[in-house]
Each structure stands twice: as structure tokens, then as C-alpha cells.
Amino acid sequence: MPTRATRTPRSPRAVRSLRTQHFLSLPDLSPAELADVLQAGLQLKKERARGVRRYGATALANQHVALLFEKPSLRTRCTFEIAVRELGGDVIAPPQDVAMGEREPIADVARNLERWVSAVVIRTFAQDRLVEFATAAPRLHVVNALTDEEHPCQALADLLTLAELFGELRGRTIAFVGDGNNVAASLAQGAMMLGMHVRLAAPADYEFTPQTVAQLEGLARKGATYTLIRDPRKAVQGADAVYTDAWTSMGQEAEAQHRRKVFAPYQVNEALMRTAGDAVFMHCLPAHRGEEATDEVMDGPASIIFDQAENRLHAQKALLMLLMGR
Ligand code: CP
């Protein structure tokens, strides 16, 4: 296993409220704000583990958060519900058939909700729908709970999980193996902002777009690098973490057979993890076990997939507290 954090972490510095109104994309945060969210998340996690709930316990008092989900969710929905309640707020979940743009325009849904709630957490299709919603209701806080292009809340939890394991993330290497999808893009953005080396092992036509690569290069801090490496064995060598995700995401079911063929050489199995050496194994879940990763890896000693799932809660609590807290 990779070298864990060895020194006692410095006592936490005071974290500040976020300057952004919305969290639509990881770069809505500055690198310092991203570090603040991770630090607050770790603090919230420690308190919760001790059965203490002082930090942020009334941050959302008298505030409602609406959850608008146009796609299925286990982790994101459950952890946002718990997060809001543990911060002293309340959630509403408008039914899907009235939610986003079929019964009435997206902008009208936003302008209605703006009169009742403080924030809306949205899982939808194109990122443009999220931007349209946020633009129509500038008093609301709008949070991206996954779009076709980005999954920034997942990236917060992933980086928190790595920070918990390694301490300082600057100079660490993460190899994402498989589809250069929304999870990969948000993770790469955050990792680059924190000075990590990001490697993407993807087949042709499934790598990041040139626009995403240009954005990643613009986000790079503290010596961060981005490299596309076609061969997954080369990509994982010496990495601190190997990450994969389903080859077929929600909405791509018609392509499933083709994708299984294209991505077969990118399966994360015991042989690939041996090549990686001491790397931890990460997956955002849900997984198609036996496709992108084998059971042996998912349930093996290097797997931290359920730590990632747990940390969705702590990362999102920190985000909401610093975005909305009074
Ligand atoms: N990782 C993730 O977003 O899980 P859900 O789809 O279950 O929310």
C-alpha cells in the first residue's frame, strides 16, 4: 500500500465561507477554497465519529434544500438528505414529473423554488440545463449533483478520501483507467488544482476533449501535470491511486455492447493492480462488477471504494456549510 500520511496534521486553520453563489463545477472554487472544503469535511467526519455534532450543527437552520433528480441515485441523494438534516436544515424532494422543463420551463421551476427554498441540488443531463436553472434564480444556491459533463461533488469526496489517506496531495499521482467521463473530468480538475499528477488511460475517442485538456492545463497548480497514456499498464505504474468507473454511464445504455468491446483492455483486475504496485483502488460506484473492475479488486485490500462513498456525506456537509452557512 502507498505511504500514508506520517506526520501529525497541523491544527486546522480557520476556513472561510465560499465566494461562489453556486457550485456547478469544481473550478467554481479557488484552490484555497477547495482545500478549505476538504479540511472542513475531515473535521466534520471526526466530530461525527465521536458522536459530537457542534461544528456546523445549525449552519442551515430554518433553511430548506430541494433535491431535483432526473436520474437515479443512491449515494448522492442519501448523503445530501443526511447532510442537510445534520446541518440543521430540511429537505424537500419535488417529484420527477414536475421537476425540470417538461411541465413548465426550467427557468420557471427555478423562479418558483427561489421563493421557498435556499438551495437546489440538481442531477440532470446537459450541464447547460443546470446553468440555465442557476441563471434564472440568482438568489438560490445551485449545486451540481451530476450532469453528463461533470460530477464535482463526487470529486470532493474522492479528494477528501485521498487527503485523509495521504495528507498533502501535492505530487501524488492518480491514474484514471477507462472512459474520460464526467467523474474523470471533475476529479482531474480538482486534482490539478491541488498539485497532483493526473494520468488518463483511455482508448481513442474516449479521452478528454481538447477543451477539457486546455482547461486542466489552466487549472494546474504546484507542478500538477496531465498526461494521456493509452496503455493502462504504463498509466498505472507507480501511481498512488488507480480509479475507474462504469464503461456505460446513465443514458448510454444503447452503446453498452460496443463499449464492452472497446474498454475490455482497460479492465482493472489483479494483474493491473500488481503492475500499479502499492496503489489504492477507487471507484465512484455504482459498479458493473466483472466489467470495469473485478470482484477481487473491488473487495481487495487496496480498495477504498466504500470510504469514498462514506466521504460523500462529509464532503457535501462541508460544501453546504461553507456555501450556505450563516
Ligand atoms: N457515485 C454516485 O454519484 O452515486 P449515485 O449515482 O448512487 O448517486
Side-chain angles (χ1 to χ4, degrees), residues 72-77 123 151 154 250 284-286 312:
S73 169
L74 171 66
R75 283 150 287 274
T76 312
R77 181 185 279 279
R123 171 166 288 196
H151 198 358
Q154 179 69 51
M250 284 179 274
C284 58
L285 303 175
R312 297 295 305 272

Side-chain angles (χ1 to χ4, degrees), residues 251-297:
Q252 299 169 332
E253 288 76 10
E255 301 169 27
Q257 206 176 338
H258 175 66
R259 282 172 169 266
R260 264 185 225 113
K261 213 182 289 175
V262 171
F263 285 107
Y266 291 82
Q267 183 187 64
V268 181
N269 49 36
E270 285 182 303
L272 192 70
M273 289 304 289
R274 269 196 302 277
T275 304
D278 287 337
V280 293
F281 171 72
M282 304 180 76
H283 193 306
C284 58
L285 303 175
H288 297 164
R289 283 171 175 259
E291 288 193 8
E292 72 272 13
T294 58
D295 284 337
E296 290 74 21
V297 171

